[in-house]
């Protein structure tokens, strides 16, 4: 019983919204996050739980593939395209949840 009171509640991935040139990821609370650009590919590792998902978004009429999967370190979001990607990400509380938006550009 005491363990339940002192253990933090795990952060949960709630939904993923695809926008033109952007991806919006919603969590139950702010997750710990580590992000890196490697050779034009973005990897974001969240200390969170969630359902693996994948999809595509459009950037300048070209396809960007995204994928969420489980790893030993948490939930990993990768964004990959045929050409090098650039961009940024920012998170903020909104509507009692945590909203992280990833904006992409060529």
């Amino acid at each position: 019983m005491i363990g339940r009171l002192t253990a933090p509640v795990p952060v949960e991935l709630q939904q993923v919204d695809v926008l033109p040139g952007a991806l919006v990821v919603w969590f139950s609370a702010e997750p710990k996050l580590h992000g890196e650009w490697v050779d034009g590919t973005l990897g974001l590792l969240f200390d969170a739980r969630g359902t693996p998902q994948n999809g595509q978004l459009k950037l300048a009429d070209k396809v960007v593939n995204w994928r969420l999967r489980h790893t030993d370190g948490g939930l990993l979001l990768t964004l990959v395209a045929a050409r090098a990607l650039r961009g940024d990400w920012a998170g903020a509380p909104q509507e009692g949840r945590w909203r992280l938006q990833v904006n992409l550009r060529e």
Side-chain angles (χ1 to χ4, degrees):
M1 180 77 170
I2 292 177
R4 289 185 194 165
L5 295 174
T6 59
V9 176
V11 176
E12 294 285 336
L13 169 73
Q14 295 180 331
Q15 75 186 63
V16 178
D17 296 329
V18 177
L19 304 174
L23 198 66
V24 178
V25 188
W26 294 88
F27 293 94
S28 58
E30 181 178 4
K32 292 180 185 173
L33 163 69
H34 174 76
E36 286 187 32
W37 290 99
V38 178
D39 297 328
T41 301
L42 174 61
L44 295 171
L45 181 62
F46 304 101
D47 185 10
R49 295 183 190 176
T51 304
Q53 303 175 43
N54 60 54
Q56 296 180 332
L57 63 96
K58 290 284 190 170
L59 178 63
D61 293 326
K62 295 176 184 164
V63 175
V64 176
N65 294 303
W66 63 269
R67 180 177 171 196
L68 271 164
R69 64 183 177 95
H70 294 283
T71 67
D72 292 339
L75 198 58
L76 178 64
L77 171 64
T78 53
L79 292 110
V80 179
R83 73 245 166 256
L85 295 171
R86 296 177 193 233
D88 56 57
W89 60 88
Q94 185 176 339
E95 302 170 6
R97 305 186 290 171
W98 187 260
R99 179 183 190 271
L100 179 90
Q101 182 163 335
V102 180
N103 298 305
L104 300 173
R105 61 185 180 278
E106 292 186 40

